[in-house]
Amino acid sequence: MSDTVEQTHTAASFYKQKGKFWPIVASGAGLFSDGYLNNVIGSVNTILKILYPHDYANSPATRNVSSIAFVGTVIGQLSFGYISDHYSRKHGMIIATLILIIFSILCSGAWGAGGSIPGMLAALTAYRFFIGIGIGGEYPAGSVACAEASNDLKSGHRNRYFVLFTNFMIDFGFVVSAFTPLVMLWICGMNHLTTVWRVSLGLGAIPPLSIFYLRLKLEEPEQFTKNTMRRARSVPYLLILRFYWFRLFVVSIIWFIYDFSAYSFGLYSTTILTAVIPDNSLYKAFGWNVVLNLFYLPGSMLGALSADYLGPRVTLATGVILQAIVGYIMAGLYSDLKNHIAAFVVVYGIFQTLGEFGPGDCIGLIASKTCATAVRGQYYGIAAATGKIGAFVGTYVFPVIINNAGGASTVKGLQAPFWVSSSLAIFSGILAITLLPRIGQDVIAAEDDRFREYLMSKGWDVTQLGDDDAAIDEFVSRDVGVEYEGYEKKVDEDDK
């Protein structure tokens, strides 16, 4: 009889724990669209250059179509950061999902008046801007809700599941976005490239459609309802800025450096591969691009596990230092590697893998867990927006770096990005290991308590936090002096 009761209890615990995963899946998996829609444009860019050598290849549209989504993403991250903090995580996610569905379809059907190619490219650019807004909304709404939902999981597993349903989803989107144009090219052939790029873009509507229903059924994270400032008569922005400005600055700089390299290499990977493939075959360029993107996945998976065992800070620093070493080796041996495409792709893939193991997995995790729930959406949105500005800058600076070093047809020209990115990686590793805190498994609740202490010490009425009075009653009933790993125990000491 006792064995039966124990088995029933174990089964109930299993299903209870299993049920906690659905909010994480629904909240974080939307970032698959970020990976897919941002990366697929690299292959589309290559096709458009072939189809429209005069209207596209030699015009500003080449940069605009590739980069305009980053502008929209920054706007989305900042605006949805405010929405998710002051109104609702759930509604922010639903709006972002609808934007992605609608404008992915419109991108696929982009058309110019009277069949005008410049008009079609202008329409595509405009739709990509709005896609960027939808992608941006996923960060402060979806990722932040995912971080708060992961807090309900068993201690020791929280970081990995946050990573698996945020950054791993982005990387999986990278892989699918590289494979889709190749499959379409196999089906349609070189004589129907228009179909290849239009279908590749249109398929980007499927991922957000697949999670839309789940998001409709979501409830607001418990941590959010207990600590939100949406009931507050006024938000103490000056106090918040004083409390978090330095930490936010460090996180933002590291994110800027990571996206500067990661997204730029992603967009120009097909171009770089075409340069090292002797016959400039589009099939081979797309095929090797798939192999190259596959290297993201093991790095992201290993980084997710390491984030629980070593912690996000050490994992990030380890990843970028190792990435810098590989980058320097690749730059130094580029003249030999370019004559051996398999060796080139393997070394280049390891370079990308280490980027995902470190900052790819950990920077979002750090951004979501180094601030209080009440301001997490805006904090995360600002850090992520800074990162996307880095990506935007990178897409414009990378061609300049290559051209100033000798051009894409020279060894020195294609070595230059690796010298620059590797040096920046070392700098971000130093920042991480010296200025970022050690983040424990219970840091979200601890940071909320620490933030409440700070507001109370400054005379702000903390009864305005949360959707009801239960949160403040729970806080007062506990020992208010909380210990936060890596920081001073007392808020007043931290302010000095």
Side-chain angles (χ1 to χ4, degrees):
M1 180 69 177
S2 61
D3 290 342
T4 303
V5 172
E6 183 177 349
Q7 290 174 359
T8 303
H9 177 73
T10 302
S13 299
F14 170 77
Y15 285 110
K16 181 179 180 181
Q17 188 74 8
K18 186 177 179 181
K20 293 178 180 179
F21 282 101
W22 284 113
I24 299 174
V25 174
S27 300
L31 285 175
F32 177 93
S33 298
D34 177 15
Y36 184 91
L37 293 170
N38 270 327
N39 203 52
V40 76
I41 202 65
S43 297
V44 170
N45 190 44
T46 301
I47 293 173
L48 292 177
K49 286 180 180 179
I50 296 171
L51 290 174
Y52 313 113
H54 301 294
D55 292 311
Y56 186 74
N58 298 315
S59 74
T62 305
R63 290 182 177 179
N64 293 339
V65 169
S66 298
S67 304
I68 196 66
F70 292 132
V71 179
T73 301
V74 170
I75 294 173
Q77 287 166 333
L78 296 176
S79 58
F80 278 82
Y82 181 86
I83 290 170
S84 68
D85 279 344
H86 289 269
Y87 297 101
S88 168
R89 309 280 202 241
K90 174 182 175 178
H91 294 157
M93 285 187 283
I94 291 173
I95 295 170
T97 305
L98 287 173
I99 291 173
L100 289 173
I101 294 169
I102 293 169
F103 286 97
S104 293
I105 295 171
L106 288 175
C107 274
S108 179
W111 199 258
S116 164
I117 299 304
M120 182 269 289
L121 295 174
L124 182 60
T125 301
Y127 299 150
R128 288 280 302 169
F129 170 78
F130 286 102
I131 278 182
I133 293 177
I135 290 172
E138 287 290 340
Y139 282 79
S143 293
V144 162
C146 182
E148 291 161 357
S150 71
N151 197 51
D152 294 331
L153 297 179
K154 181 181 177 182
S155 180
H157 297 80
R158 293 167 182 169
N159 292 341
R160 73 185 65 174
Y161 286 113
F162 173 84
V163 171
L164 289 177
F165 289 105
T166 53
N167 190 61
F168 186 82
M169 288 291 103
I170 296 176
D171 292 339
F172 188 46
F174 281 170
V175 174
V176 175
S177 70
F179 190 58
T180 299
L182 177 61
V183 172
M184 291 305 303
L185 188 60
W186 286 337
I187 295 170
C188 302
M190 291 294 293
N191 295 326
H192 299 88
L193 290 179
T194 298
T195 303
V196 174
W197 76 260
R198 287 188 181 276
V199 173
S200 296
L201 287 178
L203 290 174
I206 294 177
L209 268 172
S210 67
I211 60 171
F212 184 68
Y213 177 77
L214 289 176
R215 290 187 164 184
L216 287 176
K217 295 297 183 180
L218 275 180
E219 296 181 0
E220 298 289 354
E222 182 181 358
Q223 203 71 23
F224 173 72
T225 59
K226 286 182 177 180
N227 296 281
T228 178
M229 280 187 173
R230 59 186 178 183
R231 278 199 316 158
R233 292 182 293 274
S234 63
V235 178
Y237 282 113
L238 289 177
L239 292 178
I240 294 168
L241 186 62
R242 180 185 174 190
F243 197 56
Y244 282 124
W245 76 268
F246 182 73
R247 197 181 306 173
L248 177 59
F249 175 75
V250 174
V251 172
S252 298
I253 290 299
I254 295 174
W255 208 328
F256 180 98
I257 292 171
Y258 167 67
D259 278 4
F260 176 87
S261 298
Y263 279 89
S264 301
F265 274 120
L267 286 176
Y268 291 101
S269 59
T270 303
T271 301
I272 294 170
L273 285 171
T274 302
V276 299
I277 293 174
D279 56 3
N280 293 325
S281 167
L282 189 61
Y283 287 94
K284 290 181 180 179
F286 279 8
W288 282 112
N289 194 35
V290 173
V291 175
L292 191 61
N293 278 275
L294 283 169
F295 280 91
Y296 284 120
L297 300 183
S300 185
M301 182 67 72
L302 292 173
L305 298 174
S306 179
D308 273 326
Y309 290 113
L310 299 181
R313 180 187 61 172
V314 175
T315 300
L316 189 153
T318 302
V320 292
I321 297 300
L322 292 175
Q323 185 187 36
I325 293 171
V326 173
Y328 284 137
I329 293 172
M330 190 164 188
L333 300 177
Y334 188 86
S335 57
D336 295 322
L337 288 172
K338 74 182 185 69
N339 296 320
H340 301 85
I341 182 62
F344 176 89
V345 169
V346 169
V347 178
Y348 189 14
I350 293 172
F351 178 82
Q352 302 284 61
T353 292
L354 292 169
E356 293 311 296
F357 175 87
D361 277 358
C362 296
I363 191 60
L365 178 60
I366 290 169
S368 67
K369 296 194 174 184
T370 52
C371 66
T373 299
V375 295
R376 183 169 291 119
Q378 292 164 95
Y379 179 102
Y380 194 100
I382 292 170
T386 306
K388 279 300 184 285
I389 291 171
F392 181 74
V393 171
T395 60
Y396 279 86
V397 170
F398 259 53
V400 175
I401 292 172
I402 292 171
N403 291 333
N404 288 345
S409 60
T410 67
V411 171
K412 287 186 177 181
L414 292 175
Q415 281 177 321
F418 293 99
W419 292 121
V420 172
S421 296
S422 298
S423 300
L424 289 174
I426 289 178
F427 176 64
S428 64
I430 293 171
L431 289 180
I433 207 67
T434 58
L435 299 178
L436 289 179
R438 181 179 179 274
I439 297 173
Q441 293 286 316
D442 299 318
V443 68
I444 287 182
E447 182 63 22
D448 283 336
D449 287 347
R450 179 173 174 265
F451 184 60
R452 283 178 183 268
E453 278 191 328
Y454 170 73
L455 293 178
M456 290 173 64
S457 71
K458 301 301 179 184
W460 195 79
D461 181 9
V462 295
T463 61
Q464 299 178 75
L465 290 173
D467 284 338
D468 52 45
D469 295 331
I472 189 64
D473 291 342
E474 178 186 341
F475 174 71
V476 172
S477 67
R478 297 199 307 265
D479 181 9
V480 176
V482 295
E483 181 174 346
Y484 185 86
E485 295 178 288
Y487 297 111
E488 294 84 358
K489 294 182 182 180
K490 299 297 181 182
V491 175
D492 288 339
E493 294 177 5
D494 187 58
D495 285 342
K496 291 181 181 178

